[in-house]
Amino acid sequence: MAASLEAESTLTDRYQTTVPETVRRALKLGRRDKIHYTIRPGGEVVLTRADIPDDDPVLGQFLGFLAADLTRHPERLKSVDAGLVQRLQSLVGGVDVDLDTPLSADDE
């Protein structure tokens, strides 16, 4: 079992605190990252790194709009035609894409 790490910080008059370096390292936190607090019934608080939000707030709003629309109007949902799937596969079949390769300056 891994050894436990402990750290303390102090609240300012405005109820702010600095996250100790050991906690930042353990959670791999950087500037502007968000922290998630889980408060358990016995008063124990678990601090974790919050999920990283979408980089594009407009895309996030659009996806939220789509999700809400699908919830309100499920009858509008249609399956993709098998012919379209075959056509798409013929256009991109055999194309290898490495999602970890950095974009060129022209593609940024």
Side-chain angles (χ1 to χ4, degrees):
M1 180 177 196
S4 295
L5 296 175
E6 294 185 19
E8 284 185 3
S9 62
T10 303
L11 286 176
T12 67
D13 292 336
R14 295 178 59 196
Y15 297 99
Q16 296 175 335
T17 189
T18 299
V19 177
E21 181 183 2
T22 54
V23 175
R24 292 192 313 262
R25 267 193 272 125
L27 297 179
K28 297 181 174 86
L29 292 171
R31 296 178 195 276
R32 312 295 299 162
D33 283 344
K34 294 193 179 282
I35 298 170
H36 178 81
Y37 300 88
T38 303
I39 304 168
R40 296 191 173 157
E44 181 182 39
V45 177
V46 179
L47 182 91
T48 54
R49 179 188 176 116
D51 290 333
I52 299 171
D54 294 331
D55 290 338
D56 186 345
V58 174
L59 179 59
Q61 289 178 356
F62 177 67
L63 293 175
F65 163 77
L66 288 179
D69 189 58
L70 287 172
T71 301
R72 282 192 301 271
H73 302 286
E75 72 279 2
R76 295 180 184 169
L77 187 62
K78 296 181 181 179
S79 62
V80 176
D81 178 77
L84 176 60
V85 172
Q86 287 179 341
R87 183 165 178 255
L88 291 171
Q89 287 175 337
S90 73
L91 294 171
V92 297
V95 175
D96 290 327
V97 176
D98 182 0
L99 298 176
D100 294 324
T101 302
L103 294 173
S104 67
D106 292 337
D107 292 332
E108 282 287 334

